[in-house]
Amino acid sequence: MSVTDPSKTDLGFSDPDPQRGGPLGRLPSIVLPIASVLIAFAVGGLLIWLQGVNPFYAYWVMFSTALGTPEGLLRVMEKSTPLILTGLAVTVGLRAGLFNIGAQGQLLAGAIGAAWAGYAFTMPLAFHIPFAMAFGMLCGAAWASIAGVLRAYRSVSEVITTIMLNSIAIALVDYLASKPFKEPDQPISRTPEIAETAALPNFGAIPTGFVLAILVALFFGWFLMRTTSGFRFNTVGLNSNAARYAGISVKRTIILAMAVSGALAGLGGAIETLGVTGRFEPAFNAGLGFDGITIALLARANPIAAIPAAILVGTLRSGAAALQFETGIEPEVVDVILALTLLFVAAPIVGRFLFRKRNIKTTRVTSGWGS
Amino acid sequence: MHRKLLVATIAAGALLLAGCSSSTDETATETATETVAEETAVEEEVVAEDAAAAVTADDSNCAAPENYCIGLVTDTGKVDDKSFNQAAWEGTLLAAEKLGAFTKYVETTDPKDYANNISQFATKNYDTIVTVGFLMAEATTAAAAEFPNVNFIGVDQFQGAPIPNVAGLVFAEDKAGYAAGYLAGLMTKTNKIGTALGTDTVPPVKLFGEGFKKGALDANPEAEVTLVYHEPNNAFNDPEWGAAESRKQLDQGADIIFAAGGNTGNGGLIEIAKDPGAGTTVFCIGVDIDQYFTVPQAQKCLLTSAEKKLVAGTEELVLLSADGALPSGNFFGQTGIAPFHDTEAAVPADVQAKLAEILEGLQAGTIDTGCPACLDN
């Protein structure tokens, strides 16, 4: 693989060495994600069948209630929006060779930041929404930058720091929502409701945030494949030594990639606060960042593919309640399906590692994440 | 580069762990089968016992007057959580059995789905919908306005301004506190009784505390009862404070401590259970529901819990609702104390007898707990 081809998007998610072949070497990159989803659905279907429910009926219920009614569609769009953005957050990190597990913490930072900017200020609508959104992104970016700086200057693994920063973020937002930012005079820990001028409206039946998330995904598709900065991200991700040799500042790129990643997750949280919940409450937003990891891996670190991947996850999450209502199957079956999907998309990466260790001693110029 | 992959593999493992911890009720597949089986069993029982009464077999036609349908929406958690959700569901099942009604539940996984989960039942013309937990109060009020023909029962939802089709199941906490306090007063050897409570700015907590103190002093005028409340902020989620406060009072000679206030109280219970005298010379008292099941780490010291009878309260309200007599506004359910479990042997028979008498008196309203006037001190 050549580092001079910035449009190359597979980054070790498909086989990095086409001459070698290997078990999945010649399959197009879309086969593995689709096969993973189908197998996960098959296993999920088996679990449903074991509980005495026809799996085809169960899946039909999930998808038809989620996609077949206007309210269902609105919910799918609302649920997909933060998932597209956390998926993108993880994707941008992966492109620069960083595995950002901290999208959850960054999203929480963005969600509570936007809530504060939304209720504590009075300003006209034209300024308030962008201000609250930008502040949320800033919070997410700042939170992620802690891991970015540690990685760039102290070589501390971002996998470890972002996991730990998640726990710290959870405790921090709990504190903020129960003390300085708490809505006075009621027992629940939550912030006051945001001002009307900060509330994201809907475009008819379509939430503004959803449109925004898609535009951001398209922008990053272009950014990563067609711009110099995107090229730097990719190059650092593929081979940081080659990047350094080519005159790219690896440290700066790592910090920037982590900050952009955090800003994206923060935007997801901000849109959730400003467009859906109207305030921050610690019980909201659970798991959105972790779903982002599944989405990014399923989309094989392709920003545009993150859109359908996020919508799939959003549809499953949205249909889960109807599944239980109609069939009695517990909504957690969706977690099982998503976990299996993640397992299957990740398995070839592990498999390739074992395979190479025994047989291949070729010298490769580049190395991407997971290779 | 191999090291890099190793990190990735470890990361993937960590990811799975993270996934597990993010949803704590991961008993899914195993219990699902059980629950379904149980449900079928209950339905069959209804058919067998009460063949004469019309039994609503499914919810395909809840609008028909002869069919009665009851829906339940849990707060984030499962119907087998050994806490509010489970108690409300058990009460609903009991009522459904008596009514020959059809009933089912939906478990909320995301607080943003409250409204959607409620309206799933309402749009299918369910007659009564039970929503569990005070966090769902706002969603319940909104749904009640949207579906004026459906009766709503809000478990643990205090009603400020009564809404015609909503009944909030609430409890006279002072009575439960009084009974638990009376028991503590009879049981204490050191004549020092402690407490670690959520904030007194939340009326139910203050009622529990003041009732407890009055009960203890009525049983044992010699006793010294210390009421200690957490500061208002983070009052229910500070287990470290609960533990430290309990420890301090044990060190000062208290031998029975009433730890009440969500996770704050639970922290206290767990700390007390670690004391070498736990279950013999030192006891703890829980709150709301039988905490023997919700905080198993505290079983050793747990004398009882000042209990809200959620099962009976939910059952009663559902029956009233089906009767066309839904009491709008607040409905006071019964209170009492939970079984002794492991500490049964430590409670002498005469204490148990005296306690039964007190519980009867509280029920009949012949005992003055000093509340709700106590809220004004």
Side-chain angles (χ1 to χ4, degrees):
Chain A
M1 190 198 298
S2 154
V3 290
T4 55
D5 180 10
S7 68
K8 192 86 183 167
T9 59
D10 54 4
L11 280 178
F13 284 90
S14 64
D15 195 304
D17 192 355
Q19 286 95 38
R20 175 161 58 82
L24 288 159
R26 299 196 186 281
L27 293 175
S29 63
I30 196 166
V31 170
L32 176 67
I34 289 182
S36 301
V37 170
L38 289 178
I39 298 173
F41 268 90
V43 179
L46 190 70
L47 288 175
I48 293 170
W49 177 72
L50 284 173
Q51 294 172 59
V53 174
N54 179 342
F56 294 101
Y57 174 67
Y59 286 135
W60 183 82
V61 163
M62 271 174 102
F63 283 96
S64 65
T65 47
L67 302 172
T69 61
E71 308 84 54
L73 269 177
L74 178 69
R75 270 161 45 77
V76 169
M77 286 188 279
E78 280 180 357
K79 282 187 186 284
S80 304
T81 304
L83 297 177
I84 293 174
L85 290 162
T86 53
L88 280 177
V90 179
T91 295
V92 169
L94 287 177
R95 288 305 195 98
L98 301 164
F99 198 9
N100 176 11
I101 316 258
Q104 180 66 26
Q106 295 142 23
L107 178 133
L108 288 174
I112 198 162
W116 179 72
Y119 80 77
F121 295 85
T122 316
M123 54 178 91
L125 185 114
F127 298 106
H128 208 168
I129 292 176
F131 168 71
M133 227 180 252
F135 190 75
M137 288 173 75
L138 190 70
C139 292
W143 198 249
S145 294
I146 301 173
V149 169
L150 284 170
R151 166 70 196 260
Y153 289 98
R154 311 298 315 159
S155 299
V156 182
S157 166
E158 78 286 354
V159 172
I160 308 298
T161 48
T162 51
I163 287 179
M164 294 199 290
L165 283 167
N166 277 339
S167 302
I168 300 171
I170 289 167
L172 186 64
V173 296
D174 273 359
Y175 164 75
L176 291 173
S178 65
K179 283 206 171 143
F181 295 173
K182 184 176 171 294
E183 180 178 35
D185 301 327
Q186 49 81 37
I188 308 171
S189 293
R190 62 181 194 192
T191 68
E193 201 161 358
I194 55 168
E196 268 176 45
T197 47
L200 263 180
N202 284 7
F203 275 139
I206 301 173
T208 312
F210 183 69
V211 179
L212 210 62
I214 292 204
L215 290 177
V216 171
L218 294 176
F219 169 80
F220 273 91
W222 170 80
F223 171 84
L224 287 170
M225 292 172 202
R226 294 279 176 269
T227 68
T228 322
S229 304
F231 175 62
R232 283 197 200 104
F233 280 26
N234 287 321
T235 312
V236 168
L238 287 166
N239 187 331
S240 59
N241 292 326
R244 189 175 299 112
Y245 186 70
I248 296 171
S249 166
V250 175
K251 284 190 172 66
R252 198 183 336 149
T253 307
I254 285 176
I255 293 172
L256 186 66
M258 211 57 207
V260 170
S261 181
L264 284 166
L267 179 63
I271 290 178
E272 196 67 359
T273 299
L274 303 175
V276 183
T277 59
R279 58 156 52 96
F280 182 87
E281 204 174 303
F284 292 164
N285 308 313
L288 295 175
F290 297 113
D291 277 347
I293 298 166
T294 309
I295 289 159
L297 294 182
L298 189 59
R300 314 196 103 196
N302 179 327
I304 302 196
I307 302 172
I311 292 175
L312 175 71
V313 177
T315 307
L316 290 175
R317 292 252 177 255
S318 177
L323 177 72
Q324 185 173 36
F325 183 80
E326 293 292 341
T327 67
I329 299 290
E330 300 198 31
E332 281 76 7
V333 75
V334 168
D335 292 329
V336 175
I337 292 172
L338 291 178
L340 287 171
T341 306
L342 179 61
L343 190 68
F344 295 137
V345 287
I349 300 169
V350 179
R352 196 184 304 129
F353 166 68
L354 297 171
F355 181 69
R356 180 180 305 129
K357 200 173 182 186
R358 275 190 315 245
N359 296 331
I360 309 290
K361 293 277 182 224
T362 51
T363 311
R364 284 166 59 244
V365 184
T366 62
S367 74
W369 179 83
S371 55
Chain B
M1 65 180 109
H2 287 165
R3 190 181 307 153
K4 217 169 175 190
L5 185 76
L6 202 62
V7 171
T9 318
I10 294 168
L15 201 62
L16 290 175
L17 286 178
C20 289
S21 59
S22 72
S23 60
T24 45
D25 328 287
E26 215 61 84
T27 43
T29 45
E30 200 183 318
T31 45
T33 344
E34 275 171 40
T35 320
V36 170
E38 270 168 37
E39 255 176 88
T40 339
V42 170
E43 275 161 42
E44 276 164 15
E45 225 171 273
V46 174
V47 179
E49 258 177 36
D50 203 0
V55 172
T56 312
D58 59 43
D59 60 351
S60 56
N61 189 13
C62 288
E66 69 273 18
N67 289 341
Y68 204 83
C69 301
I70 309 163
L72 178 136
V73 181
T74 71
D75 196 354
T76 50
K78 316 295 290 179
V79 287
D80 54 0
D81 65 354
K82 300 189 174 64
S83 181
F84 280 54
N85 288 322
Q86 179 168 351
W89 175 238
E90 282 173 7
T92 306
L93 275 179
L94 289 171
E97 201 171 329
K98 285 187 182 153
L99 294 167
F102 177 82
T103 183
K104 70 179 176 190
Y105 59 83
V106 162
E107 292 167 331
T108 305
T109 50
D110 179 348
K112 279 171 285 196
D113 292 338
Y114 286 152
N116 178 67
N117 287 349
I118 296 172
S119 64
Q120 282 194 101
F121 286 109
T123 50
K124 265 231 158 181
N125 299 306
Y126 269 66
D127 303 278
T128 295
I129 298 172
V130 181
T131 65
V132 188
F134 71 97
L135 289 174
M136 229 187 294
E138 281 176 17
T140 305
T141 308
E146 195 184 341
F147 303 100
N149 298 324
V150 178
N151 282 346
F152 289 88
I153 295 169
V155 175
D156 202 31
Q157 294 170 18
F158 183 83
Q159 305 293 308
I163 304 166
N165 57 333
V166 183
L169 178 59
V170 293
F171 298 88
E173 286 86 0
D174 51 311
K175 292 189 178 179
Y178 186 94
Y182 205 94
L183 174 65
L186 295 176
M187 291 288 293
T188 179
K189 298 282 186 296
T190 60
N191 280 347
K192 278 189 178 171
I193 297 169
T195 58
L197 305 163
T199 171
D200 55 351
T201 57
V202 174
V205 178
K206 188 160 188 192
L207 290 170
F208 268 128
E210 298 289 339
F212 181 83
K213 184 173 183 178
K214 178 87 164 33
L217 291 176
D218 283 359
N220 180 357
E222 311 278 289
E224 187 188 316
V225 185
T226 323
L227 287 187
V228 185
Y229 294 98
H230 192 279
E231 60 164 326
N233 281 316
N234 203 24
F236 300 101
N237 205 10
D238 196 350
E240 292 82 14
W241 180 88
E245 192 56 45
S246 301
R247 185 72 255 161
K248 189 176 88 191
Q249 294 178 24
L250 288 179
D251 292 345
Q252 288 168 354
D255 62 349
I256 298 180
I257 292 176
F258 181 36
N263 282 329
T264 305
N266 294 350
L269 297 179
I270 293 167
E271 177 66 28
I272 300 159
K274 289 180 195 156
D275 191 274
T280 51
T281 56
V282 168
F283 298 97
C284 58
I285 295 175
V287 78
D288 279 346
I289 39 157
D290 190 348
Q291 295 212 280
Y292 186 82
F293 300 109
T294 51
V295 188
Q297 305 97 303
Q299 286 174 357
K300 213 173 148 200
C301 70
L302 196 72
L303 188 57
T304 183
S305 304
E307 200 185 9
K308 302 175 174 176
K309 302 285 185 190
L310 286 149
V311 177
T314 310
E315 182 190 359
E316 198 174 348
L317 271 181
V318 173
L319 291 175
L320 284 171
S321 170
D323 232 16
L326 183 82
S328 50
N330 291 309
F331 177 86
F332 282 89
Q334 291 173 19
T335 53
I337 61 166
F340 303 118
H341 298 292
D342 296 357
T343 51
E344 172 110 45
V347 187
D350 59 325
V351 171
Q352 296 198 22
K354 182 71 194 162
L355 196 62
E357 205 177 290
I358 292 296
L359 285 167
E360 241 167 72
L362 285 167
Q363 181 89 47
T366 52
I367 293 175
D368 174 26
T369 62
C371 298
C374 65
L375 286 176
D376 300 328
N377 335 326

